[in-house]
Amino acid sequence: MARPPHPGPTDRELTLLKLLWQHGPSTVRQLHQRFPNRPKPAYTSLQTNLQGMLDKGYLTSQTDQHAHIYAAALTQADVEQRAVHDLIRRVFDGSALRLFTTALNSEQASPEELRRLQMLLDEQVSDD
């Protein structure tokens, strides 16, 4: 049975997107050198991943002399928003409240993060 399409970038694709968001447009060689996981994937595996990401619309590519230069076609905010929406829908049955409650109960939020969250909640209430 075929696996359903992934709702967003895979772990490796997300790592590559993060590198592109952090360092800007890059060649395969640059991405391979910066890739954080050990052992590093083979250079040709990254080329294959990048081609797949182009096909999915996650990247754009330009050729500069003999090298392909890849750039993220998705913003970090877009990917984060899609991932959270998918998580809320699949795991929390559409309840953002359950997501936030679970997150706050399972992870230690810093006082600054709690203040920022309170400000965001206050803004949402005043907009309604």
Side-chain angles (χ1 to χ4, degrees):
M1 177 185 286
R3 290 186 348 183
H6 199 277
T10 65
D11 288 345
R12 184 174 292 174
E13 290 170 344
L14 189 55
T15 298
L16 290 165
L17 283 168
K18 286 178 180 181
L19 288 171
L20 291 167
W21 293 328
Q22 183 179 7
H23 299 284
S26 304
T27 64
V28 179
R29 182 172 314 284
Q30 290 167 328
L31 291 166
H32 188 258
Q33 289 171 344
R34 294 175 180 140
F35 203 86
N37 296 353
R38 299 279 186 246
K40 281 188 183 190
Y43 181 91
T44 54
S45 294
L46 283 187
Q47 281 181 309
T48 301
N49 290 130
L50 292 166
Q51 184 57 51
M53 293 172 74
L54 275 170
D55 295 342
K56 292 178 183 180
Y58 296 168
L59 302 179
T60 61
S61 174
Q62 293 182 343
T63 303
D64 181 31
Q65 296 175 3
H66 299 290
H68 289 283
I69 300 173
Y70 296 92
L74 302 173
T75 67
Q76 188 170 356
D78 288 338
V79 172
E80 290 171 349
Q81 189 171 27
R82 289 179 193 181
V84 169
H85 176 75
D86 182 62
L87 183 66
I88 290 170
R89 184 185 54 78
R90 289 185 311 112
V91 177
F92 295 97
D93 299 322
S95 173
L97 177 61
R98 285 181 42 208
L99 168 71
F100 289 120
T101 303
T102 301
L104 288 173
N105 288 332
S106 64
E107 295 294 326
Q108 183 61 41
S110 72
E112 178 56 33
E113 289 173 321
L114 292 172
R115 276 191 292 279
R116 180 68 181 128
L117 181 58
Q118 185 62 57
M119 286 173 47
L120 290 170
L121 290 170
D122 291 344
E123 287 173 15
Q124 288 295 315
V125 170
S126 67
D127 289 345
D128 289 342

